[in-house]
Amino acid sequence: MLAAPSAAAGANLYCQRWTPDDAPKANIILVHGYDEHSGRYAYFAEHCVNHGFAVHTLDHWGHGKSDGENGFVPEFSVYHDGLDALLGQMPAEQQALPLILVGHSLGGLIGASYLLENQSNFAAAVLSGPAIKATEEPSSFMKGVSRFLSKVAPRMGVLGLEASGVSRDPKVVAEYLADPLVSGTKISARLAAEMMGNMEAVQNQAARITLPMLLLHGEEDSLTAPEGSIFLNEHIGSKEKMLKIYPGLFHEIFNEPEKDAVLTDMTDWIERIIAE
């Protein structure tokens, strides 16, 4: 458990890592989604550690145990600052190992936009249910309204997440709703506008992403559109890429009843990439 500074927000960010007993094969940089936190990925980390990977992660600004304001972001680059800080405080003996970026949901958007300028730092990327396309594409009018509200009422809540869309497992949903580090705060006008701007940027510049990429999405995801993963698979410039759409699965594929199979798909793919 480490504290890392966020340059843009002047805040302390909560970071943690899980490491195998033996020297790790690679480092997984885990980027979580909206209104959750790194502590929800203990099972994910256990699987990765058991397969010889170290996992490094943080609570984003405004999330979990980090400083910041729930539901709001001063600018999207604060999330990139967090990744910079997380990478900067990694132990020296691990910095020479391959880095694998794994981003889920909003973390998939953060990761994809970060790759546009920093992909040379990574050996590969895995995006799970990335927020690349909205489930209902906003009109030009709605985009204009969003930009206007971002300026005049940046903290106004405009979009809430439906917890029942997280997982088909009632226990996962109940734990999510009872988690004191899950605020339930609506996405603010500022964050919504920043997200839309970065979604457009990733879509427009997808061809610039050329590193190996695995795209994973639940077919019944009601929170982020599977079309976003399909779009990336069709438009990124990567020669090595794979898309897996899981029939019947909801948004948090790492927390679905089939999570072991999904996680095995991921670690098998990573092992193949780093062995090449």
Side-chain angles (χ1 to χ4, degrees), residues 103 107 232 274:
L232 283 183
I274 63 175

Side-chain angles (χ1 to χ4, degrees), residues 170-190:
K171 184 172 182 288
V172 170
V173 176
E175 290 176 348
Y176 177 81
L177 290 170
D179 192 330
L181 296 180
V182 173
S183 70
T185 306
K186 288 185 175 181
I187 294 174
S188 68
R190 170 65 54 76

Side-chain angles (χ1 to χ4, degrees), residues 9 21 28 30 42 44 49-50 54 61 77-78 90 101 107 116 123 133 174 213 220 226 244 250 261 263 275:
D21 292 334
I28 290 175
L30 174 64
F44 172 100
V49 166
N50 288 340
W61 190 93
S77 62
V78 170
M90 285 177 56
L101 186 147
L116 290 175
K133 282 183 171 286
M213 182 173 288
E220 300 300 322
K244 291 184 73 77
F250 282 14
L263 289 166

Side-chain angles (χ1 to χ4, degrees), residues 90-165:
M90 285 177 56
E93 67 273 12
Q94 293 191 25
Q95 291 186 5
L97 297 173
L99 292 179
I100 313 296
L101 186 147
V102 178
H104 171 70
S105 192
L106 171 62
L109 176 59
I110 294 168
S113 57
Y114 190 76
L115 289 175
L116 290 175
E117 303 300 332
N118 299 280
Q119 66 178 316
S120 62
N121 295 333
F122 297 92
V126 179
L127 301 185
S128 156
I132 304 300
K133 282 183 171 286
T135 51
E136 294 185 13
E137 194 66 27
S139 64
S140 297
F141 173 76
M142 287 306 298
K143 291 178 181 178
V145 169
S146 178
R147 288 191 291 268
F148 174 75
L149 290 175
S150 174
K151 293 178 181 178
V152 302
R155 288 174 168 80
M156 185 176 76
V158 296
L159 179 64
L161 299 185
E162 182 55 59
S164 62

Side-chain angles (χ1 to χ4, degrees), residues 265-276:
D265 286 345
M266 181 190 73
T267 48
D268 283 353
W269 183 85
I270 293 172
E271 287 178 346
R272 179 173 65 82
I273 293 299
I274 63 175
E276 292 179 350

Side-chain angles (χ1 to χ4, degrees), residues 15-241:
C15 302
Q16 59 178 324
R17 62 176 177 260
W18 294 267
T19 56
D21 292 334
D22 298 326
K25 304 172 186 175
N27 293 304
I28 290 175
I29 307 301
L30 174 64
V31 191
H32 71 73
Y34 176 73
D35 201 21
E36 58 163 353
H37 57 93
S38 60
R40 296 190 69 237
Y41 289 81
Y43 191 89
F44 172 100
E46 180 183 3
H47 174 93
C48 294
V49 166
N50 288 340
H51 285 75
F53 300 106
V55 177
H56 305 258
T57 187
L58 79 159
D59 293 355
H60 299 308
W61 190 93
H63 290 75
K65 297 180 180 180
S66 290
D67 293 347
E69 187 175 339
N70 295 143
F72 174 76
V73 66
E75 56 187 44
F76 204 80
S77 62
V78 170
Y79 297 136
H80 296 165
D81 293 336
L83 286 178
D84 287 341
L86 178 64
L87 292 170
Q89 54 82 55
M90 285 177 56
E93 67 273 12
Q94 293 191 25
Q95 291 186 5
L97 297 173
L99 292 179
I100 313 296
L101 186 147
V102 178
H104 171 70
S105 192
L106 171 62
L109 176 59
I110 294 168
S113 57
Y114 190 76
L115 289 175
L116 290 175
E117 303 300 332
N118 299 280
Q119 66 178 316
S120 62
N121 295 333
F122 297 92
V126 179
L127 301 185
S128 156
I132 304 300
K133 282 183 171 286
T135 51
E136 294 185 13
E137 194 66 27
S139 64
S140 297
F141 173 76
M142 287 306 298
K143 291 178 181 178
V145 169
S146 178
R147 288 191 291 268
F148 174 75
L149 290 175
S150 174
K151 293 178 181 178
V152 302
R155 288 174 168 80
M156 185 176 76
V158 296
L159 179 64
L161 299 185
E162 182 55 59
S164 62
V166 166
S167 174
R168 291 166 21 253
D169 186 340
K171 184 172 182 288
V172 170
V173 176
E175 290 176 348
Y176 177 81
L177 290 170
D179 192 330
L181 296 180
V182 173
S183 70
T185 306
K186 288 185 175 181
I187 294 174
S188 68
R190 170 65 54 76
L191 177 54
E194 292 285 312
M195 287 177 64
M196 281 194 287
N198 277 269
M199 289 163 78
E200 287 185 3
V202 170
Q203 291 174 32
N204 292 337
Q205 302 177 61
R208 291 178 52 202
I209 298 176
T210 58
L211 84 172
M213 182 173 288
L214 174 63
L215 294 154
L216 307 172
H217 220 118
E219 182 184 45
E220 300 300 322
D221 190 337
S222 63
L223 301 182
T224 60
E227 288 76 13
S229 289
I230 294 169
F231 178 92
L232 283 183
N233 186 62
E234 293 175 348
H235 290 86
I236 59 176
S238 308
K239 294 180 180 178
E240 175 65 59
K241 57 186 175 181

